[in-house]
Amino acid sequence: MAQQQMTSYDRRMHALMNRADAGSFRRSAARRRAVVCAHIALTAGAVAAWLATVVGESTWGVLVMFGLLVPWCVATGIINGTTRGLLELRPRALDERQRAERDRVRARAQQIMLWLLLAAVAGTGVAGFSGVEVKALVFQVMFCALVTHWLMPMWVAALSVRDEPADEPADGLA
């Protein structure tokens, strides 16, 4: 029934997110973990470069950000392909099982973010009590929390994808 309500945009995005190109990454949990770790490292590098540009007024950060942009986009595309667009497709392009999985992923990401925010508040509080100028830290911590909040569902979705069964032999013999 959901297929009947899909627009041409929904059909194109569904086809894009379900291409066979991501199959090699989709089949192995180790490969998915490696891509997620690479994406986290690329994100951390880009955030650090941006903060160095904004807070530290360093011009090299702009070059680093642009250098990390293409690999970050490739890793994001691989993650979206391994999750089959779970978080990118409109609800009408997903079946009931996928919508339930999307809700589980978002709930798990929210739980993780709760603990990360608690750690950020505690860390900033400890820094404030130890004499560090907290005003300088607040923007940086909040920006990192914003980026993490934005990307956490995608990371959780990629890490929670189940392995696909191996391809069956062509002649049907095992």
Side-chain angles (χ1 to χ4, degrees), residues 99-114:
R99 285 193 294 268
E101 179 65 20
R102 176 190 274 191
D103 291 342
R104 280 192 295 276
V105 163
R106 287 180 174 164
R108 183 68 180 140
Q110 182 179 4
Q111 292 170 345
I112 294 169
M113 278 307 302
L114 173 69

Side-chain angles (χ1 to χ4, degrees), residues 85-150:
L86 185 70
L87 298 167
E88 300 302 320
L89 295 174
R90 295 177 183 171
R92 65 177 162 234
L94 302 173
D95 60 25
E96 292 82 19
R97 179 194 57 79
Q98 290 169 318
R99 285 193 294 268
E101 179 65 20
R102 176 190 274 191
D103 291 342
R104 280 192 295 276
V105 163
R106 287 180 174 164
R108 183 68 180 140
Q110 182 179 4
Q111 292 170 345
I112 294 169
M113 278 307 302
L114 173 69
W115 290 106
L116 288 175
L117 288 172
L118 178 64
V121 167
T124 306
V126 167
F129 285 121
S130 65
V132 174
E133 182 62 36
V134 178
K135 287 183 182 179
L137 286 177
V138 170
F139 173 74
Q140 297 166 19
V141 169
M142 292 307 297
F143 183 75
C144 291
L146 172 70
V147 171
T148 305
H149 177 73
W150 170 47

Side-chain angles (χ1 to χ4, degrees), residues 29-111:
R31 288 181 183 175
R32 287 190 305 272
R33 283 192 297 269
V35 171
V36 170
C37 288
H39 194 268
I40 291 170
L42 290 167
T43 301
V47 166
W50 186 79
L51 287 172
T53 302
V54 172
V55 177
E57 299 178 11
S58 300
T59 56
W60 61 265
V62 174
L63 298 174
V64 171
M65 282 189 324
F66 284 125
L68 295 175
L69 181 63
V70 171
W72 185 88
C73 289
V74 170
T76 301
I78 292 170
I79 290 173
N80 286 334
T82 61
T83 62
R84 297 185 182 269
L86 185 70
L87 298 167
E88 300 302 320
L89 295 174
R90 295 177 183 171
R92 65 177 162 234
L94 302 173
D95 60 25
E96 292 82 19
R97 179 194 57 79
Q98 290 169 318
R99 285 193 294 268
E101 179 65 20
R102 176 190 274 191
D103 291 342
R104 280 192 295 276
V105 163
R106 287 180 174 164
R108 183 68 180 140
Q110 182 179 4
Q111 292 170 345

